[in-house]
Each structure stands twice: as structure tokens, then as C-alpha cells.
Amino acid sequence: MGAPDAQRLRRMNTLLEQALALPAGELDAWLAALPTDQQADVPLLRSMLARASVESDSFMRRPLPLEALPTPDDDQAGQMVGPYRLLERLGEGGMAVVWLAEREDGIPRRQVALKLPRPGWGTGLAQRIVHERDILASLEHDDIACLYDAGMTAEGRPWLAMKRVQGEPIDQYCRSRAMPVRARVELFARVADAVAYAHSRLVVHRDLKPSNILVTPEGEVRLLDFGVAKLLEGDAPGADHTHATARAVTPDYAAPEQVGGHAVSAATDVYSLGVVMYELLCGERPYRMGLRTGTELERAIVQAPVMRPSQRVRGDRRLARELRGDLDIVVGKAMRHQPDDRYPSMESLAADLRRYLAGEPVLAQPPSRSYRARKFVLRHRFGLAAAAGIGLALVAGLGLALWQAQEARRQAGLAIAGLERADAAIEFASAVLMEGLGRDERLSLPELLDRAVGVAERSFDGNPVERGVSALAVAEWLARSGRRADALGVLERTIASLPERGDATMLTDLRCHHAYQVARIGRQAEGAAELDRALASAPADLDNEVRAFCEHRRGVVASELGDRAGELRYMQRAAQSLAQAPQASRTVHAHVLADLGGALWSNGHMRDGEQAFQQAFALLGSVGRRSSQAALSARHNFAIELLASGQPLRALDIFREVEAAERRQTPSGHPALEVLAASAEALLCLWRDDEAAVAFAELAEGAQHDGDAGHLLRALTGQARARWRQGRTAEAEALYAQASAMLQSPGMDVATRSLFTARLRMAERLQLAGLWRAADQAYEQLATGPGTLTPERRAEVQLARAEIALAEQRADAARALVESALAASRERQGDLPFSQRTGRALLTLAQVEQARGNRVAARTAALQAAAHIAATARAEHPQAVQARQLAAALGG
């Protein structure tokens, strides 16, 4: 046969794309209105459309023979495609054939899997192959088949050269090896990680099924076939692959919204992987769809009864027991019919799978004490058996009280080496809790603390070690209760009473505690200098745990002084000192690692920082303290760093976990104010204003109860901002008025984080009201006020001032300000690929460049803004939508 009529084939591709995008009722009129020279194509076009209306993957598997067009001979081994020689056919799908090929034009001479479209397939295939090339080029992950090369033949056929993956579909791999459930879950978690990575690059796969998930003989996962994948933030303006590729899926693994032609999202892939996981665990799919119309498919998927995995395998009682409970729940949540009811992200699904593997409570399970207790017992059954024997020997309540005292000491990072010091701690706790008390006597917490101060200063005058240990313990208790001045007094009197040439380790410990408490009452520079002197005068053989405590606290104070480099330096030293203390508490080690993670993060080393955080969480999990206050504090701090770096979506997931844990664990059922505040701030960044307003209202109630002016200010101004965006301006103004009255009251500490946030929002209120000059002056005062602005604060202030300059038509001034904001935001973004704050700055830059008449620069900035915001705050975020609309307008 001769060569195909390439011009007519391209015309048919274009017509079919347009026809598939039409509402069903408009097709006949559209066909009738085609130009005369295209009417000859109408019969063939109707034939192709009739076949496409089946709306199932069979349309993709058997390309329509275009009898009216000449077609080329089948590709043959030995044929050249670009620089590659075809060797043998590896497989074929609906759109394309995959060949084993070898590069022939020199180095590297390697074999590849070369993907070629089927001749004559006619729904914009070339466009989609190019689309797949662009997607694969953006994905660099060990578990995703990488793209080596791409090109176009002389006849206009695109090709992709990918890494050849030698492996089995994941279901066959698990079945042929009779893999146990746990191994299957571990393997599947790797798949979820790879898909999560694709989502982080704004790519939804949309056709996840076992044949697209291969496992190599070495047990490595490889994710294939992004041919129907779609970018979350949308394709290039004017391109729309949705209509054509929505049908290019396998119905047995498709989500309800997918077969119904509705919008797809990351939740679509969550559903498909839920079906794959169901099949891996049960050996069967939850249902089989067959050939149906789109409406029938959607109805069938929504209405089809889906048995729990454990119910599907009733004939195998052992397997049913393994699946019953957590795995039933995890699969069920992934396969919920409504996208909002599924896991909020692929990372959340992967995290629950790893909780299951670690024997920890999965978040998909409804929280209950009995469930959590059962999981705890299963994780620690051997340790609990030993503890039961010890408990029988400590029938008296003193054993528990002393353990709690010792654990509180460990939590504060004060591990005292040596049996003598341990004995002193036990004797002190015993004296406080037992001596001189009647059986029915009751003490309030303030009374108990006063009693502890007296015992510490009276009972051990003749023993320096006992005096020092007692002082450290009681000072910590007082500080935790907010009585820092009393804690300083105890430490000062104890230091003065001990001999200068006595126990050098004890003296150093006491001096570092004293210095840190000085810093905690607002005298950071004085506390830093005192910590430096304590470390400089410490003996060379200072206990490594004490040295680590001093270095850690010095890092904390450096952070409060805005010395980020110093913070990192001291945190690294603290971690190194603990590494040389093999008997150090894992809890203390985890606490230091978490703060090291924060220091790395604030210095732009986000990847290393996240690794340190994860090591801290793993250490806490290894000692059964994943839900302890230390663990919750570490996770909260990690989320704070995420939020400050422009990752509100990831941060909110963690804030919600911490918040839920604190609601369960605290007697009042209320989380700490800082936890509530952080969660509310993340919601505000995500423009989830209804939820943010509720969260800020709860924060205000808690702050009023505790008399915390800083958090009350934060709550009032945050709620006001949410109400303003909701259009409830009268309520917003009332809240702003309350905040303004507080700000004008005497005694407000200008160094607090909450106060800066409140002043920023009050300036924002002037900007919202159109009072440009007053707003700009307020922002300028924040920029030049006391203290050094962190990069994220500098970015916020400069970005607001750029918006004002733009509103006042001062485009050049706005350009300089937005460049400053962008530089600060990128500094805080560090080595992370995306940041919402960077996206906002790029959106403002696009608006500035548009005002200056630079359309190309404006469109580029708008597209970049959309990518940043969609990756960190969802594609539906109003500012992401605004950026896409601006880019589209500038592209016209």
C-alpha cells in the first residue's frame, strides 16, 4: 500500500476531537454545518463516533480501521524509528504498540521500550503522545519508568523511548509468589508513594491498574503508562484532553466521577488504587463492569454492592482475620463513592498503610479508646508482659508517681547520669508526694508546687547532689506551670549554695537551666550570653547528655534571636553530643532531632530537615511514644515549618492529626492554643473561610479562658479576615475594632509572633478598605520595626506593599517590591519545588508585568504562579484559578 493521506488523517483527528467535545444534542447540526469539502468525511466520522459512544476501554483496545484512508504496512522488526531500530514487539494497548528497540546512532547504545501510535488511530493521538512525553519528562522518581528520548517520524508519527522495565504486573507478581498480606501491603505502599510523587508534580495518572504497575524480579515497583494522565493545574491554554481521554480508562478500576465524565482529581487515583489494593488482598476485583454506556457505568459503580475484603475471602479464615479491621477500613475509605469522603491525598493513604504496618492506629478507623488500647497492646505485648511483673512488685502508688517524675525529667531533656543522681531524684519525689501527708489530705497543683520548693530547699542541705537534682526537678515543674520567676529563684539559690569546685557536671546543668529560664522571660540576649559562659567553663569530660542539653537550649535561644545560622550550628552540636551518649533517652534524642529538623528547614535545607523530623518520629514510635506530648510537639513543629515555607495543605493534615490527638488526650478536650492557632492559619491560607472562622472562634474562646492576649489578638484578626472574604463585612469590622482596642492598650509585647500577625492583619484591613496610603505606612512600620523580619514575614509585607503600589498605578515601584517579596519567599521555600507564597508573589508579578505591557513575562509568571499554588493549596484555590485565567487571557 502507499503512504497514508497524512493531511486527511490530521483533518479527521481534528474533526473527531471537536465532535467528542460537543453536547450530544448538537452533533447532527454541527455535522450538517461542515464545509462542502469536508462533507465526504461525515460517514467515516459518524462511524468513528458511534464506536466511541461505547465509552469503555474496548474503544482503546481495537483501533477503528479507516477503510477510506490508505494505511501503511504494519511496523516490522529491523525498521528504523528516529535513531532507534525496532527489535521485537513487547506488547500493545489501545492507542499504541510498544517495541523493544536499540539506539543505532552511537552512544549510548542501549535497549529501550519504544512506544509507537497505531497507524490510523484517530482521536488526536499525536497530541496525546506529546502530552505523555511532557508529563514523563517532569517525573523523576525511582519507581516511575523514566523517559529517555522522544521525537516525530517523517510521516508525523510521534514516538517515546522509555526505560525498558522487565517485570510482572503487581497482581501476578504477588500471586505467583504467594506473598503474605503484610508483604503485599508493603509493596503497595511503594506504589502509593510513587503516585503521591506524581501528584506533587501536579500529575493525575487516571488509569491505574495492575498492568500499569510492574514489579521487577528484584521486587522494585515501576509505574507505567501516563498516556491518559492529566496535569492538575490544567493543560496549556486551548488544549483539552479530557473528553478524548476520559474514555481511555479501564472501567473495572475507574472512579465514579471518571466514568461519568466529571472532573478528575488526585482522589480519582486514590479510588483506582483502592480497587487495585482490594484485588491484591482478595485475589478478586470488587466488581466487573463489562461494556456499558457512561451513564450505566457510573450508576453501576455507585450502586454495585462491594463486600469488605475480609467478607470476600470467607473461605479462608486465616486470611479473613488478617484483613478484618484496619485493612477493611483503609480499602473502604479509598473506595468511597464521593471524592471528598476518600483519603484527602495519596500521602494520607500511604501514611495509613504504614501505620497499619507499624501496628499503630490508622486514621481511617473511627477513634475509640478500646481500639487504640488494643493497638498499643499488640505493639508492645512483650514489654507489657514484663511491665506487668514489675507492676505487681510496685503495688503501692509510689512506683507510678516516681516513674512519672522520672519521665517528666526525661521529657525535659534532663537525663541525669549515675545511680546516685537517680536515687536522689527518687528520694525527692518520694518526699514531695508522701512525707507528712495524711491519707485523706488533698493538695491543689499550686500547693503541691509550693511543697516541692520547700522540700527541695530544706531536706537536702547536706548533700549537694540531692540538692541539685531536687532543684532541677522543681524548677522544671514551676516553669511548666508558668511560674518562671519562682523557678529562677530556686535555681539561683541552689547554684549559690553549691561549692564552686564541686560536681562540675551538676553546676553546668544548673547554670544552663538558669540561663534558659532567663531567656524564657524575654531576656534572650542575656540568656544566650549565660549559656555561652556555661559551655565555655564546662569541664572537658562533661556528661554528653548535659552538654547536649546546653547546646540544644542555646540553639532554641538563637532561634528566638533570629540567628538562624547559630540555631543550626548549636542544634547540630547537640545531636552530635547525644550520638556519643549511648545511654541517652530516645525521647530526648527525638526531641533534639526534631528541633534540628526545624533548624535545617529554616536555613533552606528542607529535604535534610524533613529527614531529621522523620527520624525523630521513628525514634518516638520505637519506644511506643508516637502519640506522646513530645511526639505531638515534634509533629506540630514540623507542620509549622511546612506552613512557613508555603505548604499549607501538607501542614493542615498534620495540624489536624495533632489537634485530634490532643482533643482525645487532654482532660478538657481542648487542644493547646498554639495548635488551634496554627490549624486556623492553615485554613485561612487555603481560603477555607467557613472552617477558618469556626477555628478562630474556638481559639478566641480558649484565649479568653486562659487570659492569653496574644492568641486572642490572633483569633480576632484571623476571624475578621475570614468574615471579610465571606462578604460579612459588618462582622469583620466589629472584630477588627476589638483587636484595635487591644493593640492600643498598654503593655503589649511587641516581640510576640501573635502581635506581629495581628498588626499585619490590621494593616491588611486598611488595604481592603482602599486606604492605600495609611495601609502602606502601616506595612512600612512593620518592615522597619524592632527585631529582624524572618523571610516569610518580609515576603508578606513587601508583597502587600507591591499590591498597593499596583493599585496606585505605580508599576515600577510595584515591580521592585514584588521582586523583593519573591526573593524572600524563595529563600524560605529553600529546596522545596513549590510554595504557595512564591505562587502568590508570582501572581502579583504577573499583574505588575501586565500593567507594564510585558505580556509574555506576565503570562510566564501567571503560569508559574498557578503551578505553585495548585501544588501546595489545590488547583481549585481561588488564586490558582485567577492565575490560570490571567494566563489564558494573556495567551489570546
Side-chain angles (χ1 to χ4, degrees):
M1 292 186 179
D5 184 343
Q7 183 177 0
R8 189 180 181 202
L9 179 57
R10 284 194 294 270
R11 185 170 70 249
M12 291 299 298
N13 286 345
T14 301
L15 290 173
L16 189 55
E17 287 283 359
Q18 295 172 0
L20 286 170
L22 290 172
E26 299 178 12
L27 179 61
D28 290 339
W30 180 80
L31 288 170
L34 287 175
T36 304
D37 61 345
Q38 294 181 7
Q39 286 298 319
D41 296 327
V42 169
L44 178 59
L45 192 56
R46 284 190 181 277
S47 177
M48 296 173 73
L49 288 168
R51 186 166 173 275
S53 68
V54 172
E55 301 192 49
S56 78
D57 61 338
S58 65
F59 179 53
M60 301 296 294
R61 292 175 182 156
R62 299 188 304 276
L64 179 68
L66 304 183
E67 289 88 356
L69 293 175
T71 57
D73 294 332
D74 288 340
D75 299 310
Q76 301 292 328
Q79 177 181 330
M80 293 296 296
V81 176
Y84 295 93
R85 184 176 302 279
L86 303 184
L87 300 179
E88 64 175 294
R89 190 183 298 235
L90 295 176
E92 54 189 284
M95 296 188 301
V97 178
V98 180
W99 283 82
L100 175 64
E102 189 170 69
R103 194 174 184 107
E104 290 289 325
D105 63 348
I107 300 174
R109 189 181 180 88
R110 62 184 168 204
Q111 292 187 342
V112 300
L114 192 133
K115 188 172 187 177
L116 271 172
R118 290 178 178 276
W121 206 95
T123 56
L125 179 59
Q127 185 180 9
R128 277 194 301 283
I129 292 284
V130 171
H131 182 62
E132 181 178 3
R133 177 202 65 195
D134 294 341
I135 288 173
L136 285 171
S138 72
L139 301 178
E140 298 179 5
H141 190 279
D142 290 342
D143 293 340
I144 296 177
C146 63
L147 178 71
Y148 285 146
D149 201 359
M152 192 82 69
T153 69
E155 296 80 21
R157 293 175 71 195
W159 52 264
L160 300 176
M162 296 170 288
K163 182 177 182 180
R164 184 190 181 188
V165 179
Q166 293 179 301
E168 298 176 71
I170 190 170
D171 56 338
Q172 295 178 21
Y173 181 89
C174 294
R175 187 166 54 249
S176 65
R177 289 159 180 77
M179 290 177 64
V181 168
R182 183 177 183 83
R184 295 183 187 219
V185 174
E186 289 172 346
L187 189 64
F188 188 82
R190 288 278 302 274
V191 178
D193 287 339
V195 179
Y197 169 84
H199 288 180
S200 74
R201 294 300 185 271
L202 312 182
V203 176
V204 181
H205 190 287
R206 304 204 299 177
D207 194 22
L208 290 167
K209 53 188 176 184
S211 60
N212 282 338
I213 305 166
L214 299 190
V215 185
T216 69
E218 297 76 28
E220 298 295 324
V221 170
R222 294 293 182 268
L223 194 60
L224 307 179
D225 200 356
F226 279 83
V228 296
K230 185 175 178 66
L231 298 180
L232 282 170
E233 85 276 19
D235 300 300
D240 184 2
H241 306 290
T242 305
H243 292 287
T245 58
R247 298 170 174 83
V249 299
T250 307
D252 289 338
Y253 300 93
E257 66 272 16
Q258 204 170 5
V259 297
H262 307 303
V264 300
S265 66
T268 304
D269 282 351
V270 170
Y271 184 96
S272 296
L273 273 194
V275 179
V276 174
M277 182 161 55
Y278 189 106
E279 185 173 2
L280 288 187
L281 297 176
C282 299
E284 299 181 47
R285 299 176 195 171
Y287 38 62
R288 291 183 180 275
M289 294 294 105
L291 293 179
R292 310 185 187 200
T293 66
T295 303
E296 289 172 342
L297 274 171
E298 184 176 18
R299 187 183 305 117
I301 288 178
V302 171
Q303 296 178 356
V306 179
M307 298 175 68
R308 289 188 172 192
S310 62
Q311 295 172 328
R312 179 61 68 88
V313 296
R314 275 180 180 163
D316 187 337
R317 292 185 179 180
R318 181 194 59 78
L319 179 56
R321 278 197 305 272
E322 281 194 83
L323 301 183
R324 189 176 300 119
D326 285 351
L327 289 177
D328 277 344
I329 295 297
V330 169
V331 173
K333 185 174 178 66
M335 290 181 59
R336 297 272 175 86
H337 293 143
Q338 294 300 320
D340 289 345
D341 294 336
R342 298 171 204 153
Y343 282 97
S345 66
M346 194 61 72
E347 290 94 336
S348 301
L349 171 58
D352 245 4
L353 292 173
R354 291 197 164 84
R355 290 186 187 97
Y356 163 79
L357 293 169
E360 298 170 0
V362 299
L363 297 185
Q365 276 277 15
S368 73
R369 291 184 179 180
S370 62
Y371 168 68
R372 296 178 66 83
R374 184 168 68 254
K375 299 299 286 187
F376 179 85
V377 170
L378 288 173
R379 285 201 310 275
H380 305 288
R381 51 190 178 276
F382 301 115
L384 287 173
I390 297 171
L392 291 174
L394 299 175
V395 174
L398 176 61
L400 176 60
L402 297 182
W403 177 83
Q404 289 173 329
Q406 185 184 26
E407 187 61 18
R409 188 97 165 88
R410 287 156 59 88
Q411 291 285 343
L414 305 176
I416 303 297
L419 182 59
E420 183 180 10
R421 291 176 187 169
D423 287 343
I426 291 172
E427 286 199 37
F428 171 65
S430 178
V432 171
L433 295 173
M434 302 297 291
E435 291 183 8
L437 288 176
R439 177 174 297 180
D440 298 326
E441 191 170 353
R442 298 287 185 270
L443 293 175
S444 65
L445 179 59
E447 291 171 334
L448 186 63
L449 289 173
D450 289 339
R451 174 181 169 82
V453 172
V455 171
E457 297 192 332
R458 281 197 316 269
S459 302
F460 305 120
D461 290 339
N463 187 324
V465 172
E466 291 176 342
R467 178 71 187 274
V469 168
S470 304
L472 287 170
V474 75
E476 181 64 24
W477 297 344
L478 289 165
R480 289 190 177 194
S481 300
R483 294 170 58 177
R484 297 193 184 278
D486 291 340
L488 278 171
V490 169
L491 291 168
E492 287 167 358
R493 291 190 292 274
T494 304
I495 291 169
S497 72
L498 293 177
E500 187 65 33
R501 295 188 178 182
D503 188 328
T505 292
M506 176 63 71
L507 272 173
T508 302
D509 206 352
L510 287 162
R511 285 168 176 163
C512 288
H513 275 79
H514 181 270
Y516 184 64
Q517 293 304 329
V518 168
R520 298 306 294 159
I521 61 174
R523 292 150 51 188
Q524 285 92 348
E526 184 181 340
E530 192 175 332
L531 279 164
D532 288 338
R533 289 194 296 271
L535 282 166
S537 62
D541 60 349
L542 179 67
D543 181 272
N544 279 315
E545 289 186 66
V546 174
R547 185 182 301 278
F549 171 82
C550 297
E551 291 164 338
H552 173 265
R553 294 308 195 260
R554 181 64 179 86
V556 172
V557 177
S559 173
E560 293 174 348
L561 289 169
D563 178 11
R564 289 181 293 146
E567 176 193 10
L568 178 56
R569 183 170 63 254
Y570 285 109
M571 290 302 179
Q572 288 174 327
R573 290 181 185 176
Q576 291 166 359
S577 296
L578 274 183
Q580 299 172 29
Q583 302 304 317
S585 157
R586 290 189 184 184
T587 305
V588 172
H589 202 168
H591 183 65
V592 171
L593 278 173
D595 284 349
L596 172 60
L600 285 163
W601 200 283
S602 62
N603 279 269
H605 309 300
M606 278 65 177
R607 298 181 191 278
D608 292 340
E610 182 161 358
Q611 184 178 4
F613 275 116
Q614 296 300 340
Q615 289 174 347
F617 303 151
L619 269 179
L620 291 166
S622 71
V623 292
R625 298 188 59 76
R626 190 173 179 83
S627 297
S628 66
Q629 281 301 311
L632 295 178
S633 175
R635 290 186 66 76
H636 174 79
N637 290 342
F638 176 43
I640 287 288
E641 295 296 343
L642 285 169
L643 185 61
S645 302
Q647 315 290 311
L649 202 56
R650 286 189 67 192
L652 181 62
D653 281 345
I654 300 174
F655 287 141
R656 285 286 170 83
E657 289 179 19
V658 173
E659 185 180 328
E662 291 207 346
R663 288 188 192 279
R664 291 191 300 268
Q665 294 177 12
T666 57
S668 65
H670 293 292
L673 296 182
E674 187 61 36
V675 173
L676 281 173
S679 183
E681 295 286 356
L683 287 166
L684 202 61
C685 287
L686 294 168
W687 286 50
R688 289 161 61 170
D689 296 321
D690 291 343
E691 297 171 76
V694 172
F696 278 121
E698 184 178 1
L699 176 63
E701 182 182 351
Q704 287 173 330
H705 180 272
D706 292 356
D708 189 323
H711 276 109
L712 181 56
L713 263 176
R714 201 168 174 181
L716 291 172
T717 54
Q719 191 177 13
R721 183 70 182 101
R723 293 304 187 203
W724 190 288
R725 281 207 299 236
Q726 291 173 311
R728 297 161 66 172
T729 53
E731 292 179 46
E733 286 293 353
L735 291 162
Y736 279 130
Q738 291 182 56
S740 179
M742 288 185 65
L743 285 167
Q744 293 171 16
S745 63
M748 294 300 294
D749 182 2
V750 294
T752 65
R753 177 192 300 176
S754 294
L755 185 61
F756 178 89
T757 302
R759 291 190 185 281
L760 184 70
R761 291 215 176 100
M762 293 304 293
E764 187 178 54
R765 182 255 168 198
L766 295 171
Q767 183 180 352
L768 291 169
L771 303 172
W772 311 124
R773 185 53 47 204
D776 193 53
Q777 290 174 353
Y779 285 127
E780 187 175 11
Q781 288 174 1
L782 284 171
T784 58
T788 304
L789 284 184
T790 60
E792 62 267 26
R793 289 182 177 181
R794 188 165 67 251
E796 293 288 344
V797 170
Q798 296 294 72
L799 189 55
R801 297 190 70 196
E803 291 168 348
I804 291 171
L806 184 61
E808 293 180 331
Q809 299 182 355
R810 296 184 289 116
D812 289 340
R815 182 71 163 73
L817 288 164
V818 78
E819 285 287 359
S820 173
L822 193 55
S825 181
R826 283 176 169 153
E827 179 184 354
R828 194 64 174 95
Q829 180 184 337
D831 56 8
L832 294 173
F834 297 106
S835 161
Q836 183 199 24
R837 188 178 294 105
T838 300
R840 287 176 47 213
L842 285 165
L843 176 57
T844 304
L845 176 62
Q847 293 165 338
V848 170
E849 293 294 8
Q850 182 186 31
R852 299 174 76 215
N854 299 329
R855 292 177 63 86
V856 174
R859 184 173 183 274
T860 300
L863 287 171
Q864 292 174 345
H868 276 270
I869 299 171
T872 54
R874 293 192 187 277
E876 299 81 13
H877 191 283
Q879 289 175 326
V881 174
Q882 183 183 3
R884 290 196 299 271
Q885 291 174 342
L886 178 57
L890 291 167

